[in-house]
Amino acid sequence: MMEDRLAPIQDVDQISFPGEEEKVLQLWKDINVFQNCLKQSKDKPRFTFYDGPPFATGLPHYGHILAGTIKDVVTRYAHQTGHHVERRFGWDTHGLPVEYEIDKTHNIRGPKDVEALGIDKYNKLCREIVMRYASDWERIITRFGRWIDFRNDYKTLYPWYMESIWWIFSQLYEKGLVYRGVKVMPFSTACSTPLSNFEAGQNYKDTQDPSVVVLFPVMNTKSSIGDEEAALVAWTTTPWTLPSNLALCVNPDLDYVKVRGKTEERKGVYILMEARLQQLFKNPSEDCEVLARYKGKQLEGTQYVSLFNYFEEYGSRGAFRVLCDGYVSAESGTGIVHQAPYFGEDDFRVCLRYGIITKDQRPLCPVDEAGCFTDEVQHFQGLHVKEADPEIIKHLRSVGRLVSSERVNHSYPFCWRSDTPLIYRAVPSWFVRVQHMQDKLLEANAQTYWVPNFIKEKRFANWLRDARDWAISRNRYWGTPIPLWTSQDMEEVVCVSSIAELERLSGEKVTDIHRDSIDHITIPSKRPGHPPLRRISEVFDCWFESGSMPYAQVHYPFENKTQFEECFPADFIAEGIDQTRGWFYTLLVISTALYGRPPFKNLIVNGLVLAADGQKMSKRKKNYPDPVEVVDRYGADALRLYLTNSPAVRGENLRFKEEEVKALLKEVFIPWLNAYRYFGQQVERLEKDEGIVFQYEESNLLPRNVMDRWILSFTQSLLAFVRKEMKAYRLYTVTPRLVKFVDNLTNWYVRFNRKRLKGDLGTSECQDSLATLYNVLLTMVRVMSPFTPFITETMYQNLKRVLRRDSELRGDSVHYLMVPEPQLAMISERTEAAVATLQSVVELGRYLRDKLNCPIKYPLPEVVVIQKEERVLKDVLELESYIKEELNVRTVTTSTDKGKYGVALKAEINFKLLGARLKEDVKQVQQAVAALKDDEITSALSSGTLDVLGHTISAEELVIKYAFSGDKAEELSSKYQAHSDASVLILLDTTPSQEMLWEGLAREVVNRVQKLKKKGRLVPTDEVTVWYSVTDSTGELQQVIDCHLDYIQTATRAPLRPLDARPLGCQLVIEDDSPKKKIKEATLELVITKGFVGGFSTGSSNAAAGSSRSSAGVSLACPWVNVVYEGTSRRGTPSAVAGTLLLENPSGSPTLLTAAQLVAEARCLYGFPKDSVEAVVDGSPLTGVTALAGKTVHIVPRGRAAVPRPSNGPAASYMNLSLKNGRVASVLLENPAGSGVSSPYDILSVTAKLTGSTPTSVCLYGDEQRTKRVRVESNEDVGALAGKTCYC
């Protein structure tokens, strides 16, 4: 049945990754995968996850996508490791983001405009836009593959959510943690509301502001510096605060001076800090004369002339004098700070301490909520404070109080919503006490686990140590109202904890608790004769709402009480680093205040995603690509893996580069897909050529080949690593390891095992390698599915077809499967280390070939592997055949003695990397490194670092060179090129023979043919003929083709014939229309036609070999039978071809016991369909194998008569083996006849099985004394063995 076979897999360059992902999305929708996952896991242990609510007033950006991907990977993984993970999406629907949009679109400039419109209408407008982009969010987030429940969401505007906030607030109120006070706070004039300190810290920007130096003339008082000539000099970057000046402040312990200016522009007498004279004078020693020196404490109480007369009455309270406080520094300004107590935190504190203002007085704050001066400041009434700056400067200049004015660049806080500059302004607010529980917050923080940890221990812990009381009230409208009903004199306060309580106290039915629904509700006073209590006007800060989400999202404690308490705190949360002063902080404060413990156990903090140039991403600047467009080009999987493999998952910033997403597609996804496609092609070939339908049985997976054992071991090690690291939430270690695994699978396992996978080494090897590759692919899609959910689903939907129908791994979606447990018994550290050494040798050899511009197609004589451990060299020899093939070398030599080859390491420093760091020590370090001995360099390479003259230098900062010494230094240096890494040193012999050069040219021909086949979209099983033409028919290239015809035809799986012999009527597939690239000064023209030409693989070289076999040599040592197939072969041979089967091997050991076994072996030779033929011997059906020796069995398609053929000896070429135990055996060299001799590796593999050894350790000898070794390195060597006896 077709569903039990792999579906054809498209060529990778024809696949649209985004298109395939759309198909997967439709599949998930059709079978409701996400909800089914939740149903399947409902009785499993719970893994609790809190999703921080975003605002829906804008579209998702890269920050949302990064955090969302991290959340999705972790929660998918939790589900696929046996947990039930409820994933509910949340929306932050209240507060400034929504109100600011309404204010902009309806030209609302302040509270008066809202009152004129009506709170009910204003809130209605807010409600209408609050979910403006909700459908876009759902579409985009779903497209990125994130699974989260949008139907069962929570919104902060739901009355049941708001009711839980009331309950939380009431708990804090009952604990005495809520109070009302006046405090100087960051204030957004655009939004007419105060902000908390952590909100103000979210959006600092470099900006230009005016910088003014102002004169404050000293009054002739009893002060020790009384001097009507002198003036105190103060500096400020907020001129708009000067109308509210009530004092000046100096540092009591620092030095101040009275100076007389000597320049035209500075002729007066000034008092300022001595360390800040440069604020007034370019060259203080020449431009002024010091008249007196004072400690700051001596200036205390000095009176000065006020700038304005707006608040002269405060003079009786001690205003317009010099005060002292240690916060004044010598870092900037003049060392004298002007004090406007209701516009600066320190100003407020200092003036309060000196009694100039009091806590309970009416704030002296002549700036309204829109940031405009009130009528108390007549000169600038109605002007916004920032607009008033130039007018104030102009006024000061006109009255002679301005010393200087300029503009300075500095970092300044902006409103995170309106992106306008904040001011600091005293406002009455409701606070939650936080300062008193700093130790408890730190203790709760210590109970949590953060990735990366340094953000928890440094940034967040430092913020907690300086935690201030939290202003939770906002003078706004669209938010959760603070549930306090008070009397006018504030003597009576009722904190309402629920809707039911409000209904009981007020006697009114309540359905909604927004301001427009409850502001009119009153509660009778308990004091006789007093008016009813009314609700205060403020609403909650939206951060209080989001910090309450663990409780409010389940309407705790009114519903789901047991469910919440069993799952609190959350197992996992994740957001960006900007939330350390936002959501992470508010979650912890509320949880600690309520329960004294943290609200979460584990937290991943991601860094910020910046534009490619390191700037903040800006829609206005258009300095980043739209994330949806990136997905439309490369797919969501590529972007997901790019983000989770970036510095951002380590809490660092990521410079987003689209080209890196594209590169990841090429480096990971396309190779991965190619390995999967190659598997599919070989499964198809197995069925087509050999009639075997591949079905995977894990119980049958018994890896015998070292590369099978390696990739299976590496896979299981990966599983163990992933489980360990995911348990620690270290995505930044897991993702690179997964990417490395893809590289090992595609560039090492598949590459090294192509012959086995293609069936070139026999059916058994083919099936073993396919089973191994399938196991790895299936394991890989299971472990990668949380990270790349789309491509894994695509592969799984096809891979599952070859599983048994009753297999527990055969389901509707890969996401129903659990991430497999590692099978520790399959892990072999020795095997992994051996292959790692192999990889080192190969990569070093490739490097040297690239360096010498010596293509891998050209054979080289030898590679020498030098390592001091014999065990490592033994591993190398066991993998010798892979090194030979991959580096295309004839011989692999191993040695523990570097000195034997006269090679020594020399080191130099990398000036580019070390020059700037070492500075003046660079020359001494250079000399010391140059003097290092070989063993010291080897040790440094092994440890990774080197200490030189007090400097630690990494191995990467060294340039390693190799030198040959001794009597043969010149000879060795001309013969070998050396290179090493931390584990091994290799010497590559780069002096090829003419024979090797010809073999390289033959490989170039193969390469040209394979490229043309790929261009024609041909697959290995397609039957085609390649026609060629060489411009010089007697030149070297033609000789190479003649000499290596068998190799070229075997490698390309197609007959190669002269173009001028091409018959008419051949159906053209493709011809090489590219520019004629020359090979050895000759032009090679190639044409491919459909179908095999007659006489495939019966070229002159094989014919010659056949004739020699029939006329010379020894007889076949083992009993044999010829097998003639009279149908049309699928394997490139003409009809009526003959082959040979051995009845015993070694002689006396039967190999074929039944007629059925004989037919099965014949099917392996010719590839005919199963049950489609009859076997006939001597004109009668074959019933057994006795008395068959020397006869011919005819394999004929059913219904066709056999054509009798005489048997003149074995049809196949052979050699005999004389074994050490005295027995004789045989090896067939070419079977069927005319198909081309087997490869050297094949011959050595068969010999190894007969002798009980390995292919790499087999040695053949031409004499009985076993002194003359027989070379078996090329097809020509194999052909030369025909009819001979070898000894082993």
Side-chain angles (χ1 to χ4, degrees):
M1 299 178 67
M2 291 306 296
E3 58 267 28
D4 291 329
R5 289 172 169 80
L6 290 179
I9 303 167
Q10 284 181 293
D11 196 350
V12 174
D13 59 9
Q14 292 180 293
I15 291 176
S16 162
F17 285 89
E20 292 299 313
E21 291 180 353
E22 293 288 355
K23 294 176 187 176
V24 170
L25 288 170
Q26 189 60 49
L27 170 70
W28 289 346
K29 184 177 180 181
D30 291 343
I31 62 177
N32 203 14
V33 176
F34 177 39
Q35 292 302 322
N36 284 336
C37 283
L38 294 175
K39 290 176 185 176
Q40 291 169 8
S41 64
K42 65 179 180 180
D43 296 325
K44 294 180 179 179
R46 287 183 172 269
F47 180 92
T48 310
F49 159 68
Y50 295 155
D51 193 28
F55 293 107
T57 51
L59 293 173
H61 53 66
Y62 282 103
H64 295 118
I65 293 164
L66 169 60
T69 300
I70 292 171
K71 296 171 190 177
D72 191 56
V73 168
V74 172
T75 52
R76 280 179 181 272
Y77 182 83
H79 167 79
Q80 290 182 249
T81 49
H83 297 86
H84 178 72
V85 190
E86 187 179 74
R87 285 157 271 183
R88 298 175 62 199
F89 199 80
W91 301 97
D92 209 339
T93 56
H94 286 150
L96 293 182
V98 181
E99 291 188 320
Y100 186 66
E101 291 295 316
I102 296 302
D103 291 353
K104 281 197 304 181
T105 55
H106 291 77
N107 198 30
I108 293 173
R109 298 186 176 182
K112 291 180 180 178
D113 292 340
V114 177
E115 290 167 12
L117 177 66
I119 293 176
D120 56 340
K121 292 180 181 177
Y122 184 84
N123 279 1
K124 183 174 181 292
L125 291 171
C126 291
R127 190 185 296 272
E128 287 172 353
I129 72 155
V130 77
M131 299 304 291
R132 176 193 296 167
Y133 297 110
S135 60
D136 293 306
W137 272 80
E138 183 171 355
R139 174 180 56 80
I140 293 170
I141 286 174
T142 301
R143 178 62 189 88
F144 277 88
R146 186 179 176 197
W147 280 0
I148 194 156
D149 194 344
F150 285 96
R151 306 284 78 81
N152 184 32
D153 67 355
Y154 71 86
K155 295 183 177 74
T156 57
L157 60 77
Y158 289 155
W160 52 263
Y161 188 100
M162 298 165 70
E163 184 177 31
S164 289
I165 294 173
W166 276 15
W167 176 83
I168 292 166
F169 179 77
S170 71
Q171 297 299 299
L172 303 182
Y173 185 84
E174 289 175 11
K175 290 173 180 278
L177 299 180
V178 177
Y179 70 93
R180 186 173 188 265
V182 173
K183 195 170 185 180
V184 176
M185 298 174 60
F187 192 91
S188 171
T189 59
C191 298
S192 301
T193 191
L195 303 180
S196 60
N197 282 297
F198 61 80
E199 286 178 295
Q202 286 189 316
N203 190 23
Y204 266 82
K205 290 186 174 186
D206 288 332
T207 187
Q208 276 202 344
D209 271 321
S211 166
V212 298
V213 178
V214 183
L215 295 174
F216 292 85
V218 174
M219 297 179 67
N220 189 10
T221 64
K222 295 178 181 179
S223 166
S224 60
I225 62 160
D227 186 344
E228 290 184 351
E229 266 194 292
L232 297 155
V233 182
W235 168 82
T236 183
T237 57
T238 54
W240 64 268
T241 61
L242 290 171
S244 302
N245 170 264
L246 293 185
L248 298 174
C249 189
V250 298
N251 189 302
D253 302 317
L254 297 183
D255 296 321
Y256 289 78
V257 290
K258 179 165 65 173
V259 299
R260 185 185 302 280
K262 296 181 179 179
T263 66
E264 282 298 318
E265 57 179 4
R266 301 277 189 274
K267 291 183 176 180
V269 177
Y270 309 102
I271 299 172
L272 70 163
M273 188 180 287
E274 186 170 15
R276 298 302 306 162
L277 280 169
Q278 70 269 23
Q279 184 71 41
L280 259 65
F281 305 101
K282 291 181 180 179
N283 189 348
S285 61
E286 296 180 4
D287 295 346
C288 66
E289 174 190 359
V290 176
L291 302 178
R293 284 186 168 83
Y294 316 95
K295 283 294 182 183
K297 184 67 176 174
Q298 293 176 261
L299 300 177
E300 186 177 28
T302 301
Q303 289 182 264
Y304 62 86
V305 179
S306 61
L307 280 176
F308 298 92
N309 60 1
Y310 305 140
F311 306 108
E312 289 292 335
E313 67 273 18
Y314 279 83
S316 60
R317 296 190 184 183
F320 311 120
R321 300 173 188 268
V322 175
L323 315 179
C324 288
D325 194 87
Y327 88 89
V328 178
S329 77
E331 299 302 316
S332 59
T334 63
I336 300 177
V337 181
H338 113 83
Q339 306 289 284
Y342 290 93
F343 296 110
E345 288 184 89
D346 287 315
D347 306 36
F348 184 87
R349 175 180 57 78
V350 173
C351 288
L352 189 66
R353 178 161 59 86
Y354 275 87
I356 297 173
I357 58 172
T358 60
K359 275 189 175 181
D360 53 359
Q361 75 170 68
R362 180 185 70 82
L364 190 157
C365 185
V367 175
D368 65 19
E369 293 181 338
C372 297
F373 280 115
T374 62
D375 55 9
E376 291 176 288
V377 179
Q378 302 96 341
H379 293 85
F380 315 110
Q381 180 181 351
L383 283 177
H384 187 277
V385 292
K386 288 295 183 180
E387 296 172 354
D389 276 342
E391 298 301 318
I392 292 171
I393 294 170
K394 187 189 297 182
H395 172 82
L396 294 175
R397 183 178 286 111
S398 68
V399 297
R401 301 290 288 269
L402 185 69
V403 177
S404 65
S405 173
E406 57 187 5
R407 298 193 69 79
V408 294
N409 285 307
H410 65 154
S411 183
Y412 192 81
F414 278 62
C415 174
W416 63 276
R417 183 65 258 172
S418 64
D419 211 29
T420 55
L422 299 177
I423 66 172
Y424 280 80
R425 177 178 182 271
V427 288
S429 297
W430 291 90
F431 294 86
V432 168
R433 300 183 195 277
V434 176
Q435 285 175 263
H436 78 289
M437 60 178 184
Q438 289 172 354
D439 290 342
K440 290 183 178 179
L441 290 172
L442 289 166
E443 183 181 336
N445 184 47
Q447 297 172 39
T448 63
Y449 175 79
W450 289 48
V451 176
N453 184 63
F454 73 86
I455 296 178
K456 166 192 168 182
E457 298 296 344
K458 301 289 186 182
R459 183 179 182 132
F460 193 62
N462 290 340
W463 181 254
L464 296 179
R465 290 186 186 96
D466 293 330
R468 305 178 188 181
D469 290 354
W470 178 10
I472 59 167
S473 61
R474 297 292 180 266
N475 302 319
R476 299 300 303 177
Y477 312 93
W478 178 242
T480 300
I482 295 178
L484 291 176
W485 271 256
T486 69
S487 59
Q488 289 181 351
D489 58 7
M490 297 297 291
E491 291 297 319
E492 197 173 354
V493 180
V494 173
C495 181
V496 176
S497 62
S498 67
I499 293 174
E501 184 180 8
L502 179 59
E503 290 179 336
R504 178 175 57 79
L505 293 173
S506 67
E508 293 194 30
K509 181 67 178 173
V510 178
T511 56
D512 186 20
I513 54 176
H514 283 91
R515 281 194 63 176
D516 49 288
S517 298
I518 65 167
D519 274 5
H520 67 281
I521 295 177
T522 61
I523 295 175
S525 172
K526 292 183 178 180
R527 296 183 295 176
H530 283 262
L533 311 184
R534 292 191 172 275
R535 198 194 69 79
I536 62 174
S537 62
E538 291 95 331
V539 298
F540 282 108
D541 168 17
C542 60
W543 289 100
F544 191 89
E545 297 185 10
S546 60
S548 301
M549 65 77 53
Y551 328 92
Q553 69 165 340
V554 292
H555 197 205
Y556 180 82
F558 307 101
E559 296 180 81
N560 307 304
K561 194 170 188 296
T562 302
Q563 173 191 332
F564 169 79
E565 291 171 355
E566 287 177 351
C567 298
F568 182 85
D571 291 290
F572 168 68
I573 66 170
E575 292 294 344
I577 196 169
D578 52 327
Q579 296 302 324
T580 50
R581 297 181 178 184
W583 191 52
F584 302 154
Y585 177 71
T586 61
L587 281 173
L588 189 70
V589 167
I590 292 174
S591 177
T592 305
L594 288 176
Y595 302 117
R597 58 176 174 157
F600 55 84
K601 300 174 186 175
N602 303 289
L603 164 63
I604 295 179
V605 187
N606 63 262
L608 302 179
V609 184
L610 305 175
D613 60 1
Q615 299 298 309
K616 185 177 179 181
M617 287 187 170
S618 166
K619 289 182 181 179
R620 179 177 55 81
K621 294 179 181 177
K622 296 181 180 179
N623 61 349
Y624 67 95
D626 186 297
V628 175
E629 292 177 4
V630 172
V631 168
D632 287 343
R633 281 192 282 272
Y634 311 112
D637 276 342
L639 183 55
R640 286 170 64 107
L641 200 63
Y642 172 72
L643 292 173
T644 55
N645 193 33
S646 74
V649 293
R650 301 192 299 270
E652 301 170 13
N653 291 341
L654 164 66
R655 293 188 177 194
F656 185 88
K657 297 177 181 177
E658 184 178 348
E659 60 270 23
E660 292 179 351
V661 180
K662 184 178 181 180
L664 196 67
L665 196 71
K666 292 181 177 179
E667 293 166 8
V668 177
F669 290 91
I670 289 176
W672 183 9
L673 205 57
N674 273 327
Y676 160 68
R677 182 171 182 265
Y678 190 74
F679 168 78
Q681 288 176 333
Q682 301 319 313
V683 166
E684 180 185 357
R685 185 211 61 78
L686 182 67
E687 182 177 354
K688 183 177 180 182
D689 286 1
E690 303 182 37
I692 300 173
V693 177
F694 179 84
Q695 186 176 67
Y696 178 71
E697 291 274 1
E698 187 168 12
S699 58
N700 294 340
L701 189 67
L702 300 171
R704 291 166 290 188
N705 180 280
V706 64
M707 294 303 288
D708 290 350
R709 295 198 303 273
W710 165 68
I711 196 64
L712 291 171
S713 175
F714 194 86
T715 302
Q716 298 307 316
S717 295
L718 172 72
L719 290 177
F721 178 82
V722 168
R723 284 192 172 266
K724 177 172 73 74
E725 295 300 291
M726 286 299 287
K727 187 176 181 181
Y729 295 89
R730 289 191 285 263
L731 270 65
Y732 59 87
T733 61
V734 171
T735 309
R737 187 73 170 260
L738 293 172
V739 172
K740 173 65 176 174
F741 180 75
V742 173
D743 174 68
N744 270 343
L745 175 67
T746 58
N747 294 328
W748 294 97
Y749 179 77
V750 172
R751 183 185 178 100
F752 277 23
N753 289 274
R754 283 187 179 276
K755 288 185 177 180
R756 296 176 64 228
L757 291 162
K758 290 192 295 185
D760 290 350
L761 305 185
T763 303
S764 175
E765 286 290 326
C766 174
Q767 290 179 298
D768 284 353
S769 57
L770 285 175
T772 297
L773 181 53
Y774 181 84
N775 175 282
V776 172
L777 287 170
L778 185 62
T779 302
M780 194 172 171
V781 298
R782 291 167 68 189
V783 74
M784 287 287 283
S785 58
F787 296 84
T788 54
F790 292 104
I791 192 173
T792 51
E793 186 73 273
T794 297
M795 290 184 180
Y796 174 76
Q797 291 300 322
N798 200 19
L799 290 172
K800 72 177 184 180
R801 288 167 169 254
V802 295
L803 290 167
R804 290 196 333 270
R805 285 180 168 269
D806 60 349
S807 171
E808 63 181 14
L809 298 180
R810 186 164 178 163
D812 290 334
S813 170
V814 70
H815 302 289
Y816 291 167
L817 306 181
M818 297 297 101
V819 172
E821 291 279 357
Q823 299 178 43
L824 301 181
M826 294 183 73
I827 297 176
S828 168
E829 293 182 3
R830 174 75 182 271
T831 302
E832 290 187 42
V835 176
T837 303
L838 162 69
Q839 290 172 321
S840 289
V841 172
V842 169
E843 286 176 337
L844 292 170
R846 287 175 182 168
Y847 170 83
L848 289 174
R849 276 186 170 273
D850 289 343
K851 178 182 174 184
L852 299 170
N853 195 23
C854 179
I856 204 77
K857 294 188 285 288
Y858 290 89
L860 293 175
E862 180 188 30
V863 63
V864 180
V865 181
I866 301 174
Q867 225 281 349
K868 61 183 178 182
E869 293 187 35
E870 288 282 2
R871 178 184 61 80
V872 175
L873 295 180
K874 183 179 179 183
D875 292 339
V876 168
L877 288 176
E878 288 183 1
L879 298 167
E880 177 183 10
S881 61
Y882 294 104
I883 296 173
K884 285 182 176 180
E885 183 169 357
E886 193 59 29
L887 290 182
N888 196 10
V889 293
R890 290 282 189 256
T891 306
V892 176
T893 304
T894 60
S895 176
T896 58
D897 185 6
K898 197 163 43 178
K900 175 182 176 182
Y901 290 88
V903 65
L905 276 63
K906 295 293 181 183
E908 297 176 359
I909 65 169
N910 187 321
F911 276 95
K912 187 175 180 182
L913 297 177
L914 286 174
R917 179 157 72 85
L918 297 180
K919 296 179 181 177
E920 64 273 6
D921 293 341
V922 68
K923 285 190 176 180
Q924 295 94 315
V925 172
Q926 176 192 12
Q927 293 168 357
V929 169
L932 289 173
K933 296 179 181 178
D934 184 278
D935 56 344
E936 293 174 312
I937 299 171
T938 303
S939 175
L941 291 174
S942 178
S943 65
T945 60
L946 178 71
D947 288 327
V948 181
L949 303 178
H951 296 280
T952 299
I953 299 173
S954 71
E956 290 76 21
E957 293 171 322
L958 295 175
V959 177
I960 305 299
K961 295 186 177 181
Y962 306 90
F964 291 93
S965 59
D967 297 338
K968 296 184 178 180
E970 186 175 347
E971 177 187 345
L972 291 169
S973 62
S974 64
K975 181 178 181 181
Y976 291 114
Q977 290 288 323
H979 195 40
S980 72
D981 61 12
S983 63
V984 69
L985 166 68
I986 74 162
L987 306 178
L988 188 65
D989 184 347
T990 57
T991 56
S993 65
Q994 183 62 41
E995 178 188 357
M996 293 178 185
L997 293 173
W998 274 30
E999 186 178 326
L1001 291 173
R1003 286 174 177 252
E1004 285 207 35
V1005 174
V1006 170
N1007 184 258
R1008 287 279 296 275
V1009 173
Q1010 299 291 45
K1011 284 183 176 179
L1012 187 59
K1013 288 180 73 175
K1014 183 176 181 181
K1015 188 176 179 181
R1017 301 195 183 283
L1018 296 170
V1019 297
T1021 52
D1022 288 333
E1023 296 181 355
V1024 295
T1025 297
V1026 181
W1027 307 89
Y1028 78 96
S1029 173
V1030 177
T1031 50
D1032 183 359
S1033 60
T1034 61
E1036 186 176 9
L1037 180 58
Q1038 183 64 58
Q1039 295 177 54
V1040 168
I1041 292 175
D1042 291 340
C1043 183
H1044 294 275
L1045 183 62
D1046 290 344
Y1047 161 71
I1048 296 169
Q1049 293 184 142
T1050 300
T1052 60
R1053 289 179 174 267
L1056 182 68
R1057 297 291 179 267
L1059 185 58
D1060 56 14
R1062 173 185 170 190
L1064 296 174
C1066 290
Q1067 184 178 343
L1068 179 68
V1069 175
I1070 188 172
E1071 58 183 313
D1072 193 353
D1073 58 357
S1074 61
K1076 305 297 187 292
K1077 181 181 178 182
K1078 292 190 175 183
I1079 302 177
K1080 276 292 177 181
E1081 303 305 319
T1083 300
L1084 177 66
E1085 184 179 353
L1086 297 173
V1087 174
I1088 298 178
T1089 60
K1090 198 169 185 180
F1092 286 137
V1093 70
F1096 170 35
S1097 289
T1098 55
S1100 59
S1101 61
N1102 281 328
S1107 64
S1108 68
R1109 290 195 297 272
S1110 63
S1111 62
V1114 297
S1115 299
L1116 189 56
C1118 296
W1120 54 270
V1121 60
N1122 283 338
V1123 180
V1124 175
Y1125 177 55
E1126 299 186 5
T1128 301
S1129 172
R1130 290 186 180 185
R1131 307 201 66 177
T1133 51
S1135 59
V1137 290
T1140 300
L1141 297 178
L1142 299 176
L1143 299 171
E1144 298 175 6
N1145 201 22
S1147 182
S1149 298
T1151 56
L1152 297 176
L1153 301 176
T1154 66
Q1157 280 184 311
L1158 186 147
V1159 174
E1161 286 296 317
R1163 186 157 60 86
C1164 290
L1165 278 181
Y1166 303 117
F1168 50 76
K1170 192 176 181 182
D1171 301 327
S1172 66
V1173 298
E1174 294 177 327
V1176 178
V1177 62
D1178 296 333
S1180 301
L1182 180 67
T1183 56
V1185 296
T1186 57
L1188 277 184
K1191 293 186 177 182
T1192 298
V1193 174
H1194 295 265
I1195 307 294
V1196 295
R1198 291 188 184 278
R1200 185 186 298 181
V1203 179
R1205 291 173 181 268
S1207 179
N1208 297 319
S1213 65
Y1214 60 88
M1215 74 170 179
N1216 289 332
L1217 289 175
S1218 178
L1219 308 181
K1220 283 187 177 180
N1221 58 12
R1223 301 180 69 183
V1224 291
S1226 300
V1227 177
L1228 300 177
L1229 305 177
E1230 178 189 46
N1231 205 18
S1235 63
V1237 295
S1238 300
S1239 70
Y1241 183 83
D1242 293 345
I1243 300 305
L1244 295 175
S1245 296
V1246 174
T1247 305
K1249 289 181 180 178
L1250 292 168
T1251 58
S1253 57
T1254 63
T1256 56
S1257 61
V1258 167
C1259 290
L1260 297 180
Y1261 298 92
D1263 61 327
E1264 194 170 353
Q1265 290 74 32
R1266 294 172 173 81
T1267 59
K1268 298 177 181 179
R1269 188 165 177 176
V1270 176
R1271 190 176 74 168
V1272 188
E1273 296 180 353
S1274 68
N1275 287 4
E1276 288 75 11
D1277 294 341
V1278 173
L1281 295 175
K1284 294 182 179 179
T1285 296
C1286 289
Y1287 299 83
C1288 60

